[in-house]
Amino acid sequence: MSRSSSLITRLAGAAAGVVLAAAGVLVAALPAQAASLTQVTGFGSNPGNLTMYAYRPDGLPANAPAVVLLHGCAQNAATYFTNSGWQKYADQWKFALIVPQQPSSNNSTSCFNWFETGDTARGQGEALSIKQMVDHARTTYGTDASRVYVSGLSAGGAMSSVMLATYPDVFAAGSIIAGVPYRCATSTTSAYSCMNPGVDKTPAQWGDLVRNAYAGYSGRRPKVAVWHGTSDYTVNVVNATESRDQWTNVLGVSATPTSTSSLPGGTSLEVYGNDQVRLYRVAGMGHGTPVDPGSAADQCGTAGAYFLDTICSTYRDALFFGLGGGVAPSPTPTATATPRPTASPTPTASPTTAPVCVTASNYAHVAAGRAYQSGGYAYALGSGQRMGLYNTFYSTTLKQTAPNYWVVNC
């Protein structure tokens, strides 16, 4: 299989140099008798050539849950384990952590190869290696096969999408942090445009990519949380909306939120369906995992390169997964629910008035008041129909059917 060594200089982007030498010796520095992040060998055929690390807190009971953590580019397992805050809640709520590591021999910047088709298909490459780690934890540590979860940052977030799509029978839920939809890219070249400016597909098109990842599967699908900083210039924030579209379509729920909430750290939360999909937007945050150092119950992590001091995403994800004492609390709205505009019946223009049709870039439509933008997309004023990405490169024809009411196409 061809391994890319050039990509993701961009996804790694500013991540060059983030690997901490001290983190590499974390395991050796811990007492042998204490729970520690430990390398595991012989976990399977390992076709993706990944390295497995695992953390089993002291007193881990039988049938405990397990969470797979997928690091970002230029990071390693120890870095992500140490800074993300997951160890705190694994110790507190007694679940195992499985932490795959991408060697530089697979990818020069240690990115998971989320854009290589041979690594993102069920039963192949890196996706199968990660699944074999989960199987090993079940047979060796006695973890619960029905309570397996996955979370990752950037390339790891994209790989979380891969695992949720290819192994819906393995994962009960997942979290995609600064990632992209499944099969957004299928080559090194297409990965660039996927990350920035993003790829615009219909919800059904995104959903079909997931459904085709395990053709014929009709079982339960995992619930999904999506996290993204609104000032992420490495992986464009439009990917959050596209991921939302993908997973709401797969789970068969409306892409209009059932509730919205305001959370700490300038974070907004949109909930879809019966809490099956969550979308967290962190205002002003760049590219990284949201953390909030401190000792409070909802604080975690260590701030640093690509661990950004805003809100403890790990705490929110652990509760969403149902790991906090075995109870999965519902979010508590702190603001009135504000559903997104949806298309309503189109008013009919007066028979004596010819319709006004305008073709222009989405940027120009917004500037002229024929549309508005939200989350990186343009929407027709009045009808709320989505027009595509909000920029000067996407053009749309809008028809005015009533004062301040525009629809797509003429």
Side-chain angles (χ1 to χ4, degrees), residues 294-311:
S295 58
D298 62 349
Q299 289 184 298
C300 73
T302 303
Y306 303 97
F307 297 95
L308 306 179
D309 189 354
T310 50
I311 183 174

Side-chain angles (χ1 to χ4, degrees), residues 50-66:
L50 301 180
T51 304
M52 177 180 177
Y53 288 86
Y55 178 74
R56 290 180 287 166
D58 294 332
L60 183 72
N63 296 314

Side-chain angles (χ1 to χ4, degrees), residues 6-360:
S6 63
L7 167 64
I8 310 229
T9 31
R10 186 160 178 186
L11 184 54
V18 71
V19 181
L20 305 179
V25 298
L26 171 67
V27 175
L30 291 173
Q33 71 274 17
S36 61
L37 185 67
T38 306
Q39 185 173 347
V40 179
T41 59
F43 59 85
S45 61
N46 191 17
N49 190 36
L50 301 180
T51 304
M52 177 180 177
Y53 288 86
Y55 178 74
R56 290 180 287 166
D58 294 332
L60 183 72
N63 296 314
V67 179
V68 176
L69 302 181
L70 298 169
H71 64 77
C73 295
Q75 295 179 326
N76 59 22
T79 302
Y80 207 76
F81 171 81
T82 302
N83 289 6
S84 63
W86 276 101
Q87 181 181 2
K88 171 181 177 176
Y89 299 108
D91 289 337
Q92 181 175 319
W93 291 327
K94 302 303 179 187
F95 53 85
L97 297 174
I98 300 166
V99 195
Q101 180 170 293
Q102 177 70 290
S104 59
S105 57
N106 281 0
N107 183 291
S108 64
T109 48
S110 299
C111 306
F112 290 102
N113 286 305
W114 57 272
F115 49 90
E116 296 282 8
T117 56
D119 286 307
T120 60
R122 183 179 174 89
Q124 296 183 38
E126 293 175 11
L128 179 55
S129 289
I130 295 169
K131 193 263 186 181
Q132 289 177 344
M133 296 179 194
V134 173
D135 292 342
H136 180 85
R138 184 181 68 252
T139 58
T140 307
Y141 311 150
T143 54
D144 187 346
S146 68
R147 292 190 293 164
V148 182
Y149 311 92
V150 62
S151 177
L153 163 68
S154 193
M159 204 66 190
S160 290
S161 297
V162 170
M163 301 312 297
L164 294 169
T166 56
Y167 291 102
D169 51 334
V170 172
F171 294 96
S175 172
I176 302 164
I177 304 173
V180 298
Y182 174 66
R183 283 291 169 96
C184 179
T186 55
S187 69
T188 298
T189 302
S190 61
Y192 285 103
S193 57
C194 172
M195 292 182 297
N196 212 328
V199 175
D200 184 19
K201 293 183 185 292
T202 67
Q205 288 172 328
W206 284 124
D208 285 345
L209 291 172
V210 171
R211 286 182 283 270
N212 291 338
Y214 186 7
Y217 179 72
S218 59
R220 177 195 54 81
R221 293 279 181 178
K223 59 183 185 177
V224 181
V226 177
W227 292 82
H228 223 106
T230 63
S231 296
D232 188 338
Y233 302 114
T234 302
V235 178
N236 195 300
V237 68
V238 299
N239 282 290
T241 305
E242 297 296 318
S243 290
R244 184 276 314 273
D245 287 352
Q246 183 168 68
W247 293 105
T248 52
N249 183 266
V250 168
L251 289 163
V253 300
S254 172
T256 298
T258 53
S259 70
T260 63
S261 305
S262 295
L263 302 177
T267 306
S268 67
L269 166 61
E270 302 164 14
V271 175
Y272 298 86
N274 186 24
D275 202 17
Q276 292 148 284
V277 176
R278 292 185 177 187
L279 173 53
Y280 297 87
R281 304 179 196 268
V282 187
M285 190 183 79
H287 189 65
T289 296
V291 297
D292 183 19
S295 58
D298 62 349
Q299 289 184 298
C300 73
T302 303
Y306 303 97
F307 297 95
L308 306 179
D309 189 354
T310 50
I311 183 174
C312 174
S313 58
T314 295
Y315 172 76
R316 306 283 167 175
D317 282 342
L319 293 183
F320 180 57
F321 295 167
L323 300 175
V327 178
S330 299
T332 303
T334 56
T336 304
T338 53
R340 289 179 182 272
T342 55
S344 12
T346 304
T348 304
S350 167
T352 59
T353 305
V356 175
C357 296
V358 180
T359 300

